[in-house]
Amino acid sequence: MDFNKAIGIAASGLKVQSGRMRVISENIANADSAPTSAAAEPYRRKIPTFTNHVDRELDASVVDLGRVRRDQGPFRSKQDPGNPAADANGTVRMPNVNVLVETVDMREAQRSYEANLNMVTLTNRMVSRTIDILKA
């Protein structure tokens, strides 16, 4: 087993999941932010994408955070006639962020991050035990 390759692959997973959690956090933070005027567009949910490529140094396929794209889904509507962003009917267009979906995505990203971290930890333990065996 190539320990460097295992750690490199897991490290790429850590980096991607960290970026994914950052995007999800931004979505959650903006879930209830209304636009500044009726003509302004509300915050659009961001969706992280992933790419993979062969790392020549590791000679392994690794994953990267790809382009972060905007969710083109419909905005939510909220009745708030006193809001400066309300239209003539008193409706405010709100971000197309569903906090429940973002929470589930965040938990999935956390679990993937933890799995990659466990891989790094276990690989380091194997290296350490291999060195101990070679010393004896």
Side-chain angles (χ1 to χ4, degrees), residues 5 16 20 26 40 56 69-70 75 78 80-81 87-88 94 116 125 133 136:
K5 187 183 288 190
V16 165
R20 180 180 176 200
E26 186 178 332
R56 294 185 193 280
R69 56 186 189 86
R70 304 279 180 163
F75 293 116
K78 174 181 166 183
D80 188 3
D87 62 13
M94 297 297 289
N116 283 297
R125 283 186 192 157
I133 290 170

Side-chain angles (χ1 to χ4, degrees), residues 5-6 11 18-19 34 36 40 50-51 57 63 75 93 96 104 113 122 124 128-130:
K5 187 183 288 190
S18 176
T36 54
F50 307 102
T51 61
E57 187 175 321
V63 66
F75 293 116
R93 292 186 316 159
N96 60 348
V104 171
Y113 186 92
L122 291 173
N124 282 333
S128 178
R129 287 191 180 167
T130 301

Side-chain angles (χ1 to χ4, degrees), residues 38-115:
E41 185 170 280
Y43 175 85
R44 280 201 178 273
R45 176 179 183 247
K46 293 181 179 178
I47 303 170
T49 61
F50 307 102
T51 61
N52 65 336
H53 71 279
V54 174
D55 184 316
R56 294 185 193 280
E57 187 175 321
L58 289 175
D59 190 32
S61 182
V62 295
V63 66
D64 284 322
L65 191 59
R67 208 183 97 212
V68 176
R69 56 186 189 86
R70 304 279 180 163
D71 184 348
Q72 296 303 313
F75 293 116
R76 294 180 292 130
S77 295
K78 174 181 166 183
Q79 281 300 120
D80 188 3
N83 192 313
D87 62 13
N89 298 324
T91 304
V92 179
R93 292 186 316 159
M94 297 297 289
N96 60 348
V97 176
N98 181 331
V99 177
L100 181 59
V101 170
E102 298 301 323
T103 303
V104 171
D105 284 351
M106 178 65 85
R107 187 64 191 135
E108 182 183 333
Q110 287 172 330
R111 286 185 178 178
S112 295
Y113 186 92
E114 290 168 4

